[in-house]
């Protein structure tokens, strides 16, 4: 209960945060970029489109890197110390505070992932139709850069969207927890470099190392790509899910242990926020 209150307090800060608003504006731009080709085709042909393009967003490796960089901006000051936090820590205890902040990171990661799906639906509201199948429009453009054929062949729409949302949420949470731990242990620049490196690692692997299998198995940002998971040199879906759960669990344990053993100090710049 105490941890939930700590989590809820972080969400209440969104209303007055220019950074959060900016991040979601960029997410809307990314959603538009991912959907506009299909929506244009649907409007031109007069055939409604189903809202299941969402899994293909995370198979676009450049777009996924951009989304992760936006998430990096959202979480860059984890554990979000401001003038309210010392009192919250005193009232809840450092362990509950750490769990509540970690819970916020997971919940906000899910919100970010779901918002990309919802933004895509809102952009195509005038030409949208709901169906349990992929629909004729997505099947017509399958195989083009818009949506990979392999996703349509291996998954049902609901399974693909659910799996993409789960994987992307765990990836965003990993980036947030890594920021949290690094900012507890070292100056902020260390967390920025570490999280930034993970954000660009998949793109680096594609263009400079020709998708080296050893690097793909070490790059969590690569693990939401349903078009590639399970192919030669790539990890499987089971590997991706188990590793993301394990990594997030390890980071959470390290954060809680560190918080219980250290004095959390708030700087003058943070007190003014």
């Amino acid at each position: 209960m105490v941890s939930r209150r700590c989590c809820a307090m972080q969400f209440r800060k969104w209303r007055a945060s220019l950074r959060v608003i900016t991040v979601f504006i960029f997410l809307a731009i990314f959603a538009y970029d991912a959907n506009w080709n299909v929506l244009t085709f649907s409007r031109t042909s007069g055939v409604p489109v189903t809202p299941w393009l969402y899994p293909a967003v995370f198979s676009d490796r450049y777009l996924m890197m951009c989304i992760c960089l936006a998430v990096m901006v959202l979480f860059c000051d984890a554990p979000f110390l401001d003038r309210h936090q010392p009192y919250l820590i005193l009232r809840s205890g450092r362990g509950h505070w750490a769990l509540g902040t970690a819970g916020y990171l997971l919940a906000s990661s899910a919100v970010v992932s779901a918002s990309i799906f919802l933004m895509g639906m809102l952009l195509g509201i005038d030409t949208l139709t709901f169906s349990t199948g992929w629909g004729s429009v997505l099947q017509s453009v399958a195989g083009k850069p818009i949506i990979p054929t392999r996703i349509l062949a291996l998954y049902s729409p609901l399974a693909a969207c659910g799996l993409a949302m789960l994987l992307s949420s765990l990836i965003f949470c990993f980036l947030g927890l890594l920021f949290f731990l690094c900012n507890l242990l070292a100056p902020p620049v260390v967390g920025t470099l570490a999280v930034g490196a993970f954000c660009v690692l998949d793109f680096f692997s594609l263009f400079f190392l020709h998708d080296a299998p050893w690097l793909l198995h070490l790059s969590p940002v690569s693990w939401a790509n349903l078009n590639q998971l399970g192919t030669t040199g790539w990890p499987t879906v089971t590997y991706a899910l188990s590793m993301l759960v394990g990594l997030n669990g390890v980071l959470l344990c390290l954060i809680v242990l560190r918080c219980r053993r250290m004095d959390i100090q708030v700087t003058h710049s943070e007190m003014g926020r």
Side-chain angles (χ1 to χ4, degrees):
M1 188 66 180
V2 175
S3 297
R4 286 200 297 269
R5 285 200 296 268
C6 295
C7 176
M9 179 173 288
Q10 296 294 346
F11 274 111
R12 285 196 290 269
K13 296 178 185 177
W14 280 20
R15 293 173 294 182
S17 175
L18 181 61
R19 183 181 60 199
V20 171
I21 295 171
T22 303
V23 166
F24 277 89
I25 289 173
F26 274 98
L27 290 176
I29 294 171
F30 299 149
Y32 174 81
D33 181 69
N35 286 273
W36 78 273
N37 278 323
V38 170
L39 296 178
T40 300
F41 177 81
S42 174
R43 291 170 179 138
T44 302
S45 63
V47 180
V49 62
T50 54
W52 311 130
L53 186 63
Y54 174 74
V57 173
F58 304 110
S59 295
D60 184 326
R61 299 170 75 173
Y62 173 75
L63 195 56
M64 181 58 173
M65 179 185 70
C66 292
I67 293 171
C68 286
L69 289 173
V71 171
M72 176 179 167
V73 173
L74 184 63
F75 294 153
C76 64
D77 61 343
F80 316 107
L81 295 174
D82 58 20
R83 64 181 181 273
H84 303 292
Q85 294 302 311
Y87 309 104
L88 184 63
I89 295 168
L90 287 173
R91 292 180 60 185
S92 62
R94 285 177 291 183
H96 287 295
W97 170 78
L99 289 174
T101 304
Y104 160 76
L105 291 171
L106 178 58
S108 55
S109 295
V111 169
V112 167
S113 187
S115 69
I116 296 171
F117 178 58
L118 294 175
M119 288 172 184
M121 290 179 59
L122 291 174
L123 288 168
I125 193 68
D126 60 310
T127 187
L128 203 64
T129 185
F130 287 91
S131 169
T132 56
W134 288 104
S136 58
V137 171
L138 294 184
Q139 290 175 339
S140 297
V141 299
K144 299 177 182 179
I146 300 172
I147 184 167
T149 306
R150 189 170 181 270
I151 294 179
L152 274 67
L154 290 181
Y155 304 97
S156 68
L158 292 176
C161 289
L163 186 56
M165 188 173 295
L166 176 60
L167 287 169
S168 59
S169 297
L170 290 172
I171 291 169
F172 301 154
C173 184
F174 165 78
L175 298 177
L177 290 175
L178 183 59
F179 247 133
F180 192 168
L181 182 62
C182 289
N183 287 345
L184 287 176
L185 297 174
V189 65
V190 175
T192 300
L193 291 174
V195 175
F198 275 109
C199 288
V200 303
L201 192 58
D202 180 64
F203 205 62
F204 180 84
S205 172
L206 173 64
F207 282 95
F208 295 101
L209 295 178
H210 307 290
D211 278 344
W214 65 270
L215 189 57
L216 293 173
H217 283 72
L218 298 175
S219 171
V221 172
S222 306
W223 301 342
N225 191 336
L226 295 183
N227 184 49
Q228 296 291 349
L229 288 178
T231 60
T232 303
W234 281 72
T236 63
V237 173
T238 302
Y239 175 92
L241 282 172
S242 58
M243 284 295 292
L244 284 169
V245 171
L247 287 171
N248 284 321
V250 169
L251 286 172
L252 178 58
C253 290
L254 292 175
I255 287 168
V256 172
L257 288 173
R258 183 60 176 169
C259 286
R260 286 179 173 175
R261 296 180 180 179
M262 71 179 293
D263 293 326
I264 298 177
Q265 299 179 355
V266 182
T267 65
H268 291 293
S269 62
E270 289 166 335
M271 286 290 289
R273 289 199 304 228

